[in-house]
């Protein structure tokens, strides 16, 4: 009898191809398939020596080459292409078989697909995979949702190819139905916030302190040896040190300053709005990309007057580091709160400490810092905010003078720091004994009889402003 594959991958662009190679390199026999068969052939021709691949030209051949229960991984474009692939394969599968969607699907689509396929006896496992092309090959962070039962059959395979930190795989069962894709979405939202904060730190050093990209690269290298150690800081140092071969200019200066986005950051913010969770850091990052991309708007605004400022100011990289670290704590705390809220809303029972654990390696936001987050959730799994954890509260307290100074300096210089300043505003809002929301409530009651609660008496009240401001119980 012909050898069967333990798992199959359909969709062999950068992610699927490298995931299939990673599986094969770990000794798993992998069936491979792609809509355009040239990609399948190229994979086997180029990398066939890395392990055992079973190439398939048709969906029927692909399904027939898988051992039962079948494990079929889809790595295609999110949205309609994913539905098209599911529609093509699901009729060929049998009860107990598993479809793993490793693309960046919207979690609501995953919930819909999971429910529909469950009715047909199939497991649909929406799985976040992070790490890009390199991670897919050498060890990504993997965030599978779906049923417990499917994780029993898939977990060991996925854990074998995931990144490992201190011997622990960066893969765990996140929770049922769309939980895996939700967590991946928030991972990407945090990725946006982290990148924006790094960009602001760079901007302050460049346009505030007047440092060159090469000098800033050195600053980032130093930071990467400390508490900010992370993949994003590491690659920033490399990018800033790079010189464009064509022009001899710093590479960062020859790139158009218009940041693009595929949508996961925007989804994170849209979902947070629906859940009522303030993720201001992620929102500012999405809007900052949006502003950068509005060429016409920016051209129109370029003639607006700026502050009277000297060309540069004395600005300490240590203080920028403090502002960056403090703002980063806020962004991550907000993202974890969003996962916490969704877990409660959808009954996912997500272990937040486990999410920090599987993000320590393999993914784009991998960082030393995540170990601290894991410890914070180990100490208090239900904490309403990471900010009050001893380590983070102390770090924020120690950073705050520099952080406030940095936001003030940036404002005076006219350097936009929406990430730093919104993070500080969030911090101050949480600290505040009283918020001006009381006034907002009074206004709402005035113009729309929307009612309010009082600080001293139970109940809901309305003031009849038109009748001599007499208060009545609503
Ligand atoms: N690139 C990255 O760094 C990351 C990507 N992801 C996600 O992983 C998934 C795969 O990403 P990536 O490898 O970059 O590939 P792409 O997102 O560029 O998708 C290309 C693949 O999708 C297939 N495809 C597109 N439309 C259809 C269709 N209608 N029917 C069948 N197959 C179709 C293509 O087949 P064909 O060759 O025939 O055109 C090809 O295999 C995406 O969902 C992406 O968001 C997740 C993490 C990181
Ligand atoms: O999923 C990823 C990492 O985990 C991708 O890198 C991410 O999709 C990039 O997003 P964008 O193109 O919107 O910046």
């Amino acid at each position: 009898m012909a050898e069967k594959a333990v798992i199959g991958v359909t969709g062999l662009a950068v992610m699927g191809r490298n995931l299939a190679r990673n599986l094969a390199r770990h000794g798993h026999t992998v069936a491979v398939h792609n809509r355009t068969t040239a990609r399948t052939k190229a994979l086997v021709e180029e990398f066939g020596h890395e392990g055992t691949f079973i190439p398939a030209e048709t969906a029927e051949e692909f399904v027939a080459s898988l051992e039962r229960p079948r494990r079929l991984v889809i790595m295609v474009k999110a949205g309609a292409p994913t539905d098209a692939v599911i529609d093509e394969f699901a009729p060929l599968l049998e009860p107990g078989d598993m479809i793993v969607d490793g693309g960046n699907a919207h979690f609501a689509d995953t919930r819909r697909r999971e429910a529909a396929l469950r009715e047909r006896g199939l497991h649909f496992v929406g799985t976040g995979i992070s790490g890009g092309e390199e991670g897919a090959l050498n060890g990504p962070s993997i965030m599978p949702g779906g049923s417990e039962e499917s994780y029993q059959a898939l977990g060991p395979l996925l854990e074998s190819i995931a990144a490992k930190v201190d011997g622990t795989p960066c893969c765990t069962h996140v929770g049922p139905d769309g939980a895996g894709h939700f967590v991946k979405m928030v991972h990407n939202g945090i990725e946006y916030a982290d990148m924006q904060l790094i960009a602001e730190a760079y901007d302050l050093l460049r346009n505030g302190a007047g440092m060159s990209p090469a000098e800033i690269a050195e600053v980032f290298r130093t930071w990467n040896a400390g508490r900010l150690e992370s993949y994003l800081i590491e690659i920033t140092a490399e990018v800033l040190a790079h010189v464009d071969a064509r022009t001899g200019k710093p590479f960062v200066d020859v790139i158009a300053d218009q940041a693009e986005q595929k949508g996961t950051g925007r989804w994170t913010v849209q979902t947070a709005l629906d859940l009522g969770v303030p993720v201001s850091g992620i929102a500012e990052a999405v809007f900052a990309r949006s502003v950068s991309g509005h060429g016409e708007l920016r051209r129109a605004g370029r003639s607006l007057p700026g502050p009277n400022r000297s060309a540069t100011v004395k600005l300490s990289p240590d203080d920028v580091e403090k502002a960056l670290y403090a703002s980063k704590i806020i962004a991550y705390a907000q993202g974890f709160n969003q996962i916490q809220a969704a877990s409660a809303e959808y009954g996912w029972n997500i272990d937040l400490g486990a999410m920090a654990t599987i993000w320590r390696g393999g993914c784009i936001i991998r960082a030393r810092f995540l170990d601290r987050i894991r410890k914070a959730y180990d100490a208090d799994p239900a904490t309403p905010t990471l900010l009050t954890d001893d380590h983070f509260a102390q770090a924020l307290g120690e950073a705050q003078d520099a952080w406030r100074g940095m936001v003030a300096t940036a404002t005076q210089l006219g350097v936009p720091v929406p990430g730093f300043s919104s993070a500080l505003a969030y911090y101050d809002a949480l600290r505040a004994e009283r918020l001006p929301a009381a006034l907002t409530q009074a206004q709402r009651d005035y113009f729309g009889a929307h009612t309010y609660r009082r600080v001293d008496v139970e109940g809901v009240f309305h003031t009849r402003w038109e009748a001599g401001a007499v208060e009545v119980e609503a």
Side-chain angles (χ1 to χ4, degrees), residues 309-359:
R309 51 174 274 195
S310 57
T312 59
V313 290
K314 223 173 145 35
L315 198 149
S316 143
D318 280 353
D319 285 351
V320 179
E321 191 267 356
K322 285 181 184 146
L324 175 55
Y325 189 62
S327 304
K328 179 171 165 137
I329 293 171
I330 303 288
Y332 279 66
Q334 292 179 339
F336 274 87
N337 278 356
Q338 184 172 354
I339 297 174
Q340 194 174 35
S343 181
E345 172 77 16
Y346 298 108
W348 285 335
N349 200 21
I350 297 177
D351 176 342
L352 298 175
M355 298 308 100
T357 302
I358 64 170
W359 287 349

Side-chain angles (χ1 to χ4, degrees), residues 191 194-202 205 216-241 320-321 324-325 328 332 363-369 420:
E191 176 182 305
D194 212 340
M195 290 167 75
Q196 173 63 23
L197 294 172
I198 288 172
E200 289 176 20
Y202 153 76
L205 294 171
I216 302 170
E218 277 313 308
V219 171
F220 273 84
R221 274 200 194 107
T222 316
W223 289 351
N224 201 40
R227 61 186 178 173
L228 281 172
E229 180 190 329
S230 61
Y231 173 70
L232 285 171
I233 294 282
E234 181 191 332
I235 64 167
T236 305
E238 261 193 60
V239 168
L240 290 175
V320 179
E321 191 267 356
L324 175 55
Y325 189 62
K328 179 171 165 137
Y332 279 66
C363 62
I364 304 299
I365 64 168
R366 62 184 180 260
R368 181 199 286 200
F369 168 76
F420 284 1

